[in-house]
Amino acid sequence: ATNGLYNLIAVNLNDWENHRHEKLYDEALIGKLFIFRLLNTLASFYFLAFGAAYVPRYSSKPYSSELGSPGFNCSLGGLYASDDCSRPLAVHLATVLMCHLLFVAGEYAIPYLM
């Protein structure tokens, strides 16, 4: 959802820069889109890996299932703490990768379906 907004912002910023050649325009647009999408994708991973331990817990219960509870149950303990945020981070990574795989597969399948 936010990638559409970032695309609009990147195109408007590029238009305001008034590039002399189309090649320079395209290169600047690609750079902006790369940075925006990188930040959009990696911000949630960064939060889960480094910031979730500092957020007050939404639930004081430990993980209630294999995928984890809605609240973060992270500790600031050592590297091998039993209640770290590695499980939600792994689930989030798998979810993002599967969604990306389905999106790319859909892009390749649409021309053959029409």
Side-chain angles (χ1 to χ4, degrees):
T2 55
N3 278 338
L5 177 65
Y6 290 149
N7 287 346
L8 183 64
I9 292 171
V11 168
N12 285 333
L13 286 174
N14 240 23
D15 290 342
W16 289 340
E17 289 175 359
N18 198 19
H19 294 282
R20 186 177 294 257
H21 301 286
E22 188 174 348
K23 180 182 176 185
L24 296 175
Y25 178 88
D26 291 339
E27 289 174 354
L29 182 62
I30 289 169
K32 285 179 187 63
L33 289 175
F34 176 76
I35 295 297
F36 285 157
R37 289 183 182 172
L38 183 75
L39 292 176
N40 185 34
T41 303
L42 296 182
S44 58
F45 291 113
Y46 186 79
F47 170 74
L48 283 174
F50 302 111
Y54 297 100
V55 175
R57 295 180 183 155
Y58 300 118
S59 169
S60 61
K61 298 182 293 186
Y63 296 119
S64 58
S65 69
E66 284 296 315
L67 296 179
S69 65
F72 298 110
N73 202 7
C74 305
S75 71
L76 295 174
L79 183 61
Y80 300 105
S82 62
D83 56 347
D84 62 355
C85 286
S86 61
R87 172 133 349 242
L89 186 61
V91 169
H92 186 60
L93 177 63
T95 303
V96 167
L97 290 177
M98 290 304 294
C99 289
H100 182 69
L101 178 67
L102 291 173
F103 180 74
V104 170
E107 285 184 342
Y108 284 115
I110 286 175
Y112 293 110
L113 296 174
M114 294 191 163

